[in-house]
Amino acid sequence: MSGSRVVVSVSGGPDSVALLTLLFEVQKALQLKLYVAHINYHLRGSDSNKDEALVKELAQKLNLEFFLNSVHPKNKDEASLREIRHTYLEKIRQQKKASLIALGHTLDDQIETFLMFLLRGSGIQGLSAIQSRNKHLVRPLLLISKPELVAYLKAKKQSFCLDRSNSQNNYTRNRIRNRLLPYLEKNYNPSLKKTLSQTVHLLDSDFTYLKKTAQRSLQALLVKKTSSFIDLDAQKWARLDPALKRHVLRQTIFEFQGHLQNLSAKNLQYALNYLEKPSQKQAFSLSQGLHLTKRRARIRLSFSN
């Protein structure tokens, strides 16, 4: 991070306010150039405006350039809001020619996400979902708990906003935070967050290795690649270890369309089952016009007309 231009995503909550405050403290030592970005979704009435005002005031206090995206999203689910946020942050990163976007995810966020994916039956990628570095995104606070950050802000006499909806248990993440985690810490392991953080780190290390192996395997399988299809060698595919096939297929889909959106673990398993059978007359539909076919010596991934 040393010598970088960094766009800091600040919601107004304790995590992101602590992130900005900490980065500001070390900016001279690390020769950082900081920019503050805030997204107001207008989902919590006057509280949303209070968040915006606090972040703007903090940026002015620190003499940092402030960027605001004020939106009224039609889709209010977590994935849609995250897409809006990341698209805007990337726009600012490119505009200011910054190399990094800093996010305020904490140890608590990492553990809550791990448990959410575990309860859904996710594989190794889902269980290691929050990474400290992913291309331009950095999460410097992943090893620090929320209580530690709140204590730091109080010691600095730095104000922050609290999202009152976090105390409501109508969302899975909130129930994990407010009910499941306290129960497990009280009855099973008082150091559960640190323990699970180590587990996530090990899984992330394993997944990184598997992903690199899948990339090498894909290159060995690749017969032809165009803008409309990818052909793989079916005989070489058959010789792959079953544990690797899932990762190679995911990597093939990512290489072809540039993302893995709308690809469920269930549909991926169905696709793997399809490929275990002999040549198929019918194509298998993966998602939104993306089809898989198996014809003798070739496996083809393509978009339907």
Side-chain angles (χ1 to χ4, degrees), residues 57-167:
E57 181 181 340
L58 179 57
Q60 291 174 339
K61 172 185 171 184
L62 301 178
N63 196 29
L64 299 175
E65 192 170 358
F66 174 71
F67 295 88
L68 170 68
N69 187 20
S70 183
V71 294
H72 294 81
K74 292 182 180 179
N75 297 320
K76 300 175 175 61
D77 59 281
E78 186 176 349
S80 297
L81 298 181
R82 182 171 58 249
E83 179 65 24
I84 291 171
R85 180 167 62 254
H86 284 192
T87 299
Y88 179 68
L89 293 171
E90 177 60 19
K91 175 184 175 182
I92 300 304
R93 187 191 72 80
Q94 293 184 18
Q95 179 183 329
K96 304 309 296 185
K97 298 181 180 179
S99 56
L100 298 172
I101 297 169
L103 305 174
H105 293 100
T106 66
L107 175 64
D108 298 67
D109 295 309
Q110 186 182 60
I111 300 312
E112 290 163 13
T113 302
F114 172 83
L115 289 172
M116 281 180 63
F117 280 105
L118 181 66
L119 294 172
R120 291 176 185 172
S122 296
I124 188 171
Q125 182 176 20
L127 296 177
S128 58
I130 298 185
Q131 300 170 327
S132 59
R133 178 74 183 263
N134 184 9
K135 295 182 180 179
H136 300 300
L137 302 178
V138 292
R139 299 176 175 91
L141 305 181
L142 270 187
L143 297 179
I144 305 175
S145 70
K146 185 183 291 288
E148 289 173 318
L149 293 174
V150 170
Y152 162 76
L153 290 174
K154 288 182 176 179
K156 300 284 293 184
K157 297 182 180 179
Q158 172 59 55
S159 58
F160 54 87
C161 297
L162 290 175
D163 186 346
R164 288 180 289 182
S165 66
N166 285 337
S167 62

Side-chain angles (χ1 to χ4, degrees), residues 117-282:
F117 280 105
L118 181 66
L119 294 172
R120 291 176 185 172
S122 296
I124 188 171
Q125 182 176 20
L127 296 177
S128 58
I130 298 185
Q131 300 170 327
S132 59
R133 178 74 183 263
N134 184 9
K135 295 182 180 179
H136 300 300
L137 302 178
V138 292
R139 299 176 175 91
L141 305 181
L142 270 187
L143 297 179
I144 305 175
S145 70
K146 185 183 291 288
E148 289 173 318
L149 293 174
V150 170
Y152 162 76
L153 290 174
K154 288 182 176 179
K156 300 284 293 184
K157 297 182 180 179
Q158 172 59 55
S159 58
F160 54 87
C161 297
L162 290 175
D163 186 346
R164 288 180 289 182
S165 66
N166 285 337
S167 62
Q168 300 170 2
N169 291 319
N170 50 340
Y171 296 105
T172 301
R173 181 181 290 275
N174 288 7
R175 290 195 296 274
I176 288 173
R177 178 190 304 129
N178 300 328
R179 292 178 178 174
L180 180 59
L181 270 171
Y183 177 81
L184 293 174
E185 287 174 322
K186 179 181 179 181
N187 294 283
Y188 291 92
N189 184 351
S191 302
L192 182 67
K193 291 177 183 177
K194 296 289 186 182
T195 301
L196 291 183
S197 178
Q198 294 169 3
T199 301
V200 171
H201 176 74
L202 292 173
L203 289 170
D204 181 49
S205 178
D206 289 349
F207 176 69
T208 298
Y209 171 76
L210 281 169
K211 186 176 180 179
K212 290 179 180 177
T213 305
Q215 289 170 338
R216 290 194 296 268
S217 298
L218 174 56
Q219 292 306 309
L221 292 172
L222 188 62
V223 175
K224 188 174 183 179
K225 178 180 178 181
T226 72
S227 59
S228 56
F229 68 86
I230 286 183
D231 278 353
L232 305 180
D233 187 306
Q235 292 183 339
K236 290 181 180 179
W237 166 268
R239 292 196 293 267
L240 286 179
D241 189 283
L244 188 56
K245 286 181 177 179
R246 177 184 304 275
H247 298 281
V248 172
L249 182 55
R250 286 178 63 91
Q251 188 63 33
T252 305
I253 296 168
F254 179 79
E255 291 278 344
F256 183 54
Q257 65 177 9
H259 63 81
L260 295 171
Q261 295 174 11
N262 303 314
L263 179 67
S264 67
K266 183 184 292 186
N267 218 24
L268 188 66
Q269 185 58 54
Y270 287 154
L272 290 167
N273 294 343
Y274 168 88
L275 292 175
E276 290 305 304
K277 299 176 183 178
S279 296
Q280 301 288 313
K281 293 182 179 179
Q282 295 290 333

